[in-house]
Amino acid sequence: MILKETYTLANGIAIPKLALGTWMIEGESATNAVKKAIELGYRHIDTAQDYGNEAEVADGVRASSLEREQLFVTSKLAARHKTYDEATAAIEESLEKMGFEYLDLMIIHSPQPWDHFGSEDRFPEGNQEAWRALEDAYKAGKLKAIGLSNFQERDIDTILETCSVAPMVHQILAHVTNVPGALIDYSRNKGMLVEAYSPVGHGELFKNEAIIKMAEKYNVSVPQLCIRYDLQLGLLPLPKTANPDHMANNAAVDFEIAQADMDALSALEPIKDYGEASQFPVFQ
């Protein structure tokens, strides 16, 4: 059962292979979603400072019957924090807001602040300063693991140039029709586990006839096929939902996609339009 399986990070920490994403799930809905996911067997919950739901996610954790140590909770350092002092204060704010002594993982949400996303400025010094804050929190035991999100190869190199603790995780957009193979390989070669947000392409993959037919072949749903695809690539999917039925369906992925079908899925035409999600600089 996938909910009981883990990967091992470079520092020896076990991380559950499937996580509940909580982007755009707010207030009491976030609390209830987390509580229900844990009841269903999820042990990995993903949130972020910029989601505005850290406190509610933490409430869901506390409302469960499990001890904090039995769960893996990730948050993300807001993309705007590009000084050591700002990043340090933001890490402390997350811990205080959530009422936790530690987070299992914190990652820099983006190498660029959202209002500069796609610009020429990669904020190298700012990312190095933010990383130094994560390193210090890691060394203090406040973060059990640290990593990156939405970085490109040159951004990763910037961190590696000055770090004393190398990144352990890289969370990126990766799904059927959009698998950045070179970036995944580069991240892995630098010792990072790669996590895949938006494994169903923000719902756009529901419209793909080839994917629908493939899912029917395996007698599974489109999300199940897409999540399984990411898992077979060695990625860690983070499907987001507040619907308990969808949570259960997303976790029922104990089947195997044949290699020929994996190849066929990998050869599909990339998504050109993500619909409403395209208004965001990145989608999670």
Side-chain angles (χ1 to χ4, degrees):
M1 183 179 182
I2 197 66
L3 291 176
K4 295 184 178 181
E5 296 180 23
T6 61
Y7 291 115
T8 301
L9 300 181
N11 65 346
I13 297 291
I15 180 171
K17 283 188 176 182
L18 185 69
L20 175 74
T22 63
W23 181 51
M24 297 186 75
I25 306 174
E26 301 175 348
E28 188 176 353
S29 293
T31 300
N32 292 336
V34 170
K35 181 181 177 183
K36 188 60 182 180
I38 294 170
E39 289 175 2
L40 289 169
Y42 283 77
R43 296 295 180 263
H44 185 176
I45 310 297
D46 182 273
T47 182
Q49 293 173 354
D50 279 341
Y51 295 176
N53 63 6
E54 285 180 317
E56 291 79 7
V57 164
D59 287 342
V61 169
R62 277 186 289 274
S64 76
S65 60
L66 298 183
E67 297 296 322
R68 170 67 184 88
E69 293 74 19
Q70 295 176 272
L71 298 169
F72 193 102
V73 182
T74 298
S75 192
K76 305 177 191 71
L77 181 68
R80 65 183 177 277
H81 297 310
K82 299 302 180 192
T83 71
Y84 176 84
D85 289 343
E86 285 181 358
T88 298
I91 294 167
E92 293 296 332
E93 183 179 351
S94 284
L95 292 169
E96 181 178 346
K97 189 178 294 184
M98 300 183 83
F100 291 162
E101 293 183 0
Y102 70 92
L103 281 164
D104 297 276
L105 172 65
M106 181 168 272
I107 57 184
I108 299 177
H109 207 155
S110 168
Q112 298 173 302
W114 302 131
D115 56 355
H116 287 79
F117 197 83
S119 72
E120 290 299 315
D121 190 351
R122 304 304 297 181
F123 293 83
E125 295 82 7
N127 287 314
Q128 289 173 341
E129 288 297 288
W131 187 254
R132 188 161 63 90
L134 289 182
E135 286 179 325
D136 285 351
Y138 173 76
K139 292 171 184 176
K142 297 176 181 179
L143 307 175
K144 300 300 184 183
I146 51 179
L148 310 171
S149 183
N150 299 304
F151 276 51
Q152 296 300 317
E153 287 92 335
R154 54 180 166 168
D155 305 314
I156 294 170
D157 288 343
T158 294
I159 298 299
L160 296 176
E161 284 171 7
T162 60
C163 70
S164 61
V165 179
M168 300 151 197
V169 169
H170 192 192
Q171 186 178 126
I172 60 174
L173 177 68
H175 57 72
V176 179
T177 78
N178 182 6
V179 177
L183 179 59
I184 290 170
D185 290 343
Y186 196 82
S187 300
R188 286 174 171 162
N189 288 337
K190 301 302 181 183
M192 287 179 273
L193 172 73
V194 179
E195 296 184 334
Y197 67 77
S198 303
V200 194
H202 290 278
E204 292 302 308
L205 299 184
F206 284 101
K207 307 172 186 176
N208 188 301
E209 287 299 324
I211 294 173
I212 292 169
K213 289 181 180 178
M214 185 80 73
E216 290 173 349
K217 173 181 176 178
Y218 286 91
N219 195 29
V220 297
S221 68
V222 166
Q224 285 173 315
L225 183 77
C226 295
I227 290 166
R228 184 68 208 178
Y229 174 85
D230 275 353
L231 286 165
Q232 287 185 215
L233 292 179
L235 306 175
L236 192 160
L238 302 109
K240 73 124 184 150
T241 181
N243 184 314
D245 291 338
H246 294 171
M247 292 177 198
N249 184 263
N250 290 344
V253 290
D254 295 319
F255 64 98
E256 188 83 11
I257 302 173
Q259 187 57 52
D261 291 334
M262 287 290 292
D263 293 341
L265 290 170
S266 297
L268 292 177
E269 188 75 16
I271 292 175
K272 294 183 173 63
D273 183 3
Y274 284 94
E276 291 183 4
S278 298
Q279 66 183 293
F280 301 98
V282 293
F283 306 138
Q284 189 153 307

